[in-house]
Amino acid sequence: RRGLPADWPIRPGDKLGSFFESTFVDEPVGPTPSLSQKNSVTIPELVIPGDDVMQFLKDLNIFKSIGPDNVHPKVLKSLSSNYRFVNAMTELFQRIYDTGLMPTVWKKANITALHKKGDKSDSKNYRPLASHALCLKFTRKYL
């Protein structure tokens, strides 16, 4: 017999979700917090090269999973030779760098439970695997 009855009091996903949720910290939404004057570091001016954005798009692995933004890597890779798209993405990444503001959906992740070892009914025997928006990978390189 597969699955559990619909009236089962605790569903496995609920148990895993509660366990994984207990291991994460909520991050504030909004702009990056500013540093105090005492600890302030001067960050040099940065211009994100369009060639780097194009190379990032060309190098995407089309077999990676879709993140919370629901953008498939195959779509981004197929647009890597479209200069208008690459210029738009370059401008987006530049604005993220200049303002410190990032699209909210890029701050989210799809979480999948992977069994490590031991009893499959014990939620402590699973580890979370996070799938982020692919464009977040590029911003991490520069930010």
Side-chain angles (χ1 to χ4, degrees):
R1 182 174 162 179
R2 300 185 109 209
L4 298 171
D7 61 347
W8 190 263
I10 298 175
R11 310 228 12 112
D14 296 337
K15 196 171 182 181
L16 285 171
S18 296
F19 176 71
F20 290 159
E21 187 177 6
S22 72
T23 65
F24 288 99
V25 177
D26 280 333
E27 303 246 347
V29 177
T32 306
S34 60
L35 300 172
S36 67
Q37 290 291 1
K38 181 168 73 171
N39 296 328
S40 182
V41 175
T42 303
I43 299 175
E45 197 66 32
L46 173 71
V47 176
I48 296 175
D51 290 343
D52 287 3
V53 175
M54 182 182 287
Q55 195 60 51
F56 164 75
L57 294 170
K58 283 181 180 178
D59 291 344
L60 283 174
N61 181 345
I62 61 170
F63 300 106
K64 291 284 185 179
S65 61
I66 297 172
D69 59 353
N70 290 321
V71 177
H72 198 287
K74 196 172 194 177
V75 172
L76 293 174
K77 187 169 187 156
S78 70
L79 291 167
S80 65
S81 59
N82 181 317
Y83 289 101
R84 292 174 108 176
F85 180 75
V86 171
N87 287 340
M89 291 301 290
T90 303
E91 185 176 327
L92 173 64
F93 292 136
Q94 188 67 53
R95 284 191 185 186
I96 289 169
Y97 180 82
D98 293 343
T99 64
L101 298 173
M102 188 175 297
T104 305
V105 72
W106 290 8
K107 297 177 184 180
K108 298 178 187 261
N110 294 334
I111 308 296
T112 304
L114 290 181
H115 183 254
K116 296 187 289 187
K117 61 181 177 178
D119 184 4
K120 289 187 177 185
S121 66
D122 186 356
S123 58
K124 292 178 182 160
N125 291 330
Y126 288 82
R127 72 175 180 89
L129 176 67
S131 176
H132 298 276
L134 292 170
C135 292
L136 181 64
K137 184 177 177 183
F138 182 85
T139 58
R140 286 181 179 162
K141 178 179 178 179
Y142 283 92
L143 300 181

